Amino acid sequence: DADVTQTPRNRITKTGKRIMLECSQTKGHDRMYWYRQDPGLGLRLIYYSFDVKDINKGEISDGYSVSRQAQAKFSLSLESAIPNQTALYFCATSQHPSSEGSSGELFFGEGSRLTVL
Amino acid sequence: AQTVTQSQPEMSVQEAETVTLSCTYDTSESDYYLFWYKQPPSRQMILVIRQEAYKQQNATENRFSVNFQKAAKSFSLKISDSQLGDAAMYFCAYRINFGNEKLTFGTGTRLTIIP
C-alpha cells in the first residue's frame, strides 16, 4: 500500500462545483503539502502544514482552501472550481529537516488529475 | 526568492548512451540541498538523487550521478547507460537547509529514450 494516498485519482467536474481532494499518509510525518503541476510550469506550492494546528499559504493559494484533520490527513478544497484549475495535484509529506538523516525531501502521493469543464 | 531553472524542456538519448540534464539555481545561501525527481508516465514522483551543498563530493546512485558546481550554481544530472525505463519528466529542486523552508522546483525536462 502507498505511504501517501490521494483520492480521487481522477475527477472531472463542472465550473462552479465544490471539489475536495483528500490525502492521507502512514509515514508518520508532521509536514504535509499540496502542490499543483501544470505543463511547462513545474510544481507550484498551494498550501502547506507543519503540524495539525499550522496552516500556511504557498505561492498560489487563491481559490483554494485546506484542512488538516489529523496528523495523517490533509485535504484540499476548491470552493468554486474554474477551468484554469484544471491540473495534476500532488500531496506530499516530509520529515522535519532536523530529523536525523533527513534532507527535508518530499514523499509524494500518486497525484489527482482534476479537469474542470 | 530562490529560483530553479531547467533550460532544456525536452531531451532525447539513444538507449545505452549517456545524457546530461541541466539545472541552475539562484540563491544567496550557502547551506542547502538539491534534488532530482523523476516522474514517469505513471505520474508518480520519485526521488532520484540528492546533494547537500556542504559536501564537495558529487552524489551517485547507480547509473545516476550529479555534477555539482557550487560557485556556478549548477546541478546537472548524468544518466549513464540509458534504459527505456528512464523515459520520464525530470525535475530539479532546491531547499535551504534551515528552518521551515520548502522545496522549489524547476519546470522540468522531458527525457525520451530512443531504442
Side-chain angles (χ1 to χ4, degrees):
Chain A
D1 288 339
D3 294 323
V4 183
T5 303
Q6 292 182 230
T7 56
R9 294 290 311 281
N10 299 282
R11 181 73 182 270
I12 300 173
T13 191
K14 294 182 179 181
T15 297
K17 294 291 187 181
R18 184 178 187 274
I19 294 297
M20 178 180 288
L21 306 180
E22 297 183 323
C23 178
S24 63
Q25 54 114 346
T26 59
K27 298 191 74 66
H29 291 167
D30 287 329
R31 301 179 167 211
M32 298 187 74
Y33 310 79
W34 277 103
Y35 281 87
R36 167 178 173 162
Q37 182 182 358
D38 298 277
L41 297 178
L43 279 77
R44 295 179 293 166
L45 183 62
I46 306 172
Y47 269 96
Y48 60 101
S49 169
F50 287 159
D51 64 44
V52 175
K53 297 182 180 180
D54 176 75
I55 300 290
N56 304 281
K57 292 182 177 181
E59 57 181 306
I60 54 164
S61 59
D62 287 348
Y64 301 95
S65 62
V66 291
S67 174
R68 185 80 183 267
Q69 302 94 325
Q71 186 208 33
K73 296 184 182 294
F74 191 38
S75 59
L76 175 71
S77 293
L78 288 68
E79 297 301 327
S80 180
I82 57 177
N84 76 1
Q85 291 177 314
T86 293
L88 181 59
Y89 291 85
F90 281 102
C91 175
T93 72
S94 73
Q95 288 181 306
H96 192 286
S98 65
S99 300
E100 187 173 347
S102 172
S103 58
E105 75 207 57
L106 296 179
F107 296 84
F108 286 87
E110 295 175 312
S112 296
R113 182 168 298 284
L114 176 65
T115 302
V116 184
L117 301 176
Chain B
Q2 288 76 32
T3 59
V4 178
T5 302
Q6 294 180 249
S7 59
Q8 306 154 315
E10 297 183 348
M11 292 279 287
S12 61
V13 64
Q14 206 79 30
E15 191 176 4
E17 297 296 310
T18 295
V19 64
T20 299
L21 308 183
S22 301
C23 173
T24 59
Y25 55 95
D26 181 25
T27 185
S28 58
E29 303 294 334
S30 60
D31 189 8
Y32 51 87
Y33 275 95
L34 295 160
F35 307 86
W36 278 99
Y37 278 87
K38 170 184 177 181
Q39 185 183 40
S42 67
R43 80 191 192 198
Q44 179 72 46
M45 294 286 288
I46 302 164
L47 179 66
V48 174
I49 201 164
R50 83 193 81 183
Q51 174 82 41
E52 185 174 5
Y54 269 111
K55 292 187 177 179
Q56 294 185 352
Q57 186 173 6
N58 288 325
T60 300
E61 291 287 344
N62 300 313
R63 297 181 296 105
F64 297 86
S65 61
V66 299
N67 183 6
F68 173 49
Q69 301 289 328
K70 192 171 184 179
K73 299 179 184 176
S74 171
F75 182 60
S76 59
L77 175 69
K78 185 172 83 170
I79 306 174
S80 303
D81 185 26
S82 298
Q83 301 176 359
L84 295 178
D86 295 333
M89 282 288 289
Y90 287 82
F91 292 98
C92 180
Y94 160 96
R95 189 186 72 80
I96 298 174
N97 192 26
F98 70 83
N100 293 326
E101 294 300 321
K102 288 73 64 187
L103 263 72
T104 299
F105 286 85
T107 53
T109 297
R110 181 173 300 281
L111 179 63
T112 301
I113 310 297
I114 302 168

